Amino acid sequence: MSALEAARRRQSWSKVTPEAPTREQLLPLVAAAGRVADHSSLQPWRLIELRGEDRIRLGEAISRVRGDDEPSTKPLRASLLIAVVASYRPSEKVPRWEQEAVASGVAHLLSLLLDEAGWGVIWRTGDYTRSPEVAALHRLGEDEALLGWLYVGGKPDRSPGSRRTVDPEPLLTALPR
């Protein structure tokens, strides 16, 4: 499949089956996703696998942020969650926003690669992604920020739903004169 075909067919899978790729299956995809444009090759990102009990611990942290009595079940919607972390590096040439864009690019490319490999993926965020409780669970450093999680699992037999085709005309313009 070409990159164009992969991008055209990308869908978010809000519901996935319990199957998930192994660490060994993930490693070459992560290596390929790491090829995104990265000014000064800073690699200002890292990924954290959450499986099994890790997802329950995340649900407990989310419930503390929200003041809920019961752990959130949101992290149980997929067998594998991949936390996307922007790890800002000191640089006079590359501002923080650009480093965060690299981390976001890695996450998006990884989601395309996972989709091509047959996995269902959705990138989830929430107001709690930047909370101290969730940061502590992920052991984020002072110069790190959680950008969300890729929820990964098997694709169910049903369609994920339709996605509107983007009209590129109003989005691609010439420089105003």
Side-chain angles (χ1 to χ4, degrees):
M1 173 184 321
S2 73
L4 179 60
E5 290 168 343
R8 280 185 174 154
R9 65 171 241 177
R10 192 206 74 75
Q11 295 279 315
S12 292
W13 291 81
S14 60
K15 295 191 186 318
V16 294
T17 65
E19 298 80 24
T22 65
R23 180 176 177 80
E24 291 72 29
Q25 291 171 311
L26 279 177
L27 289 172
L29 302 179
V30 171
R35 299 284 311 228
V36 298
D38 181 0
H39 190 181
S40 295
S41 299
L42 295 178
Q43 292 184 326
W45 58 275
R46 66 185 179 100
L47 305 172
I48 303 169
E49 291 178 77
L50 290 88
R51 299 178 190 264
E53 293 292 318
D54 294 340
R55 299 170 306 129
I56 294 169
R57 292 172 51 215
L58 175 57
E60 292 167 349
I62 291 171
S63 70
R64 284 193 299 277
V65 172
R66 294 196 160 178
D68 297 336
D69 293 332
E70 296 295 319
S72 172
T73 58
K74 289 183 180 188
L76 303 179
R77 293 179 181 171
S79 296
L80 170 63
L81 278 60
I82 302 172
V84 180
V85 179
S87 295
Y88 305 108
R89 311 287 188 225
S91 175
E92 292 183 16
K93 291 174 27 178
V94 186
R96 286 174 69 95
W97 71 263
E98 190 174 338
Q99 294 183 43
E100 190 165 308
V102 172
S104 297
V106 167
H108 181 65
L109 184 51
L110 181 57
S111 73
L112 284 174
L113 294 166
L114 285 161
D115 180 79
E116 184 198 20
W119 301 106
V121 183
I122 189 168
W123 188 348
R124 294 192 183 275
T125 61
D127 54 349
Y128 42 81
T129 58
R130 303 288 172 118
S131 71
E133 295 86 350
V134 173
L137 175 74
H138 290 79
R139 302 228 194 287
L140 299 185
E142 248 181 58
D143 286 328
E144 292 187 317
L146 178 64
L147 303 183
W149 302 268
L150 298 179
Y151 281 54
V152 184
K155 291 181 181 177
D157 290 335
R158 61 165 189 75
S159 166
S162 62
R163 184 170 176 102
R164 176 176 63 89
T165 301
V166 172
D167 177 7
E169 283 295 329
L171 302 170
L172 179 63
T173 63
L175 182 67
R177 296 192 184 267

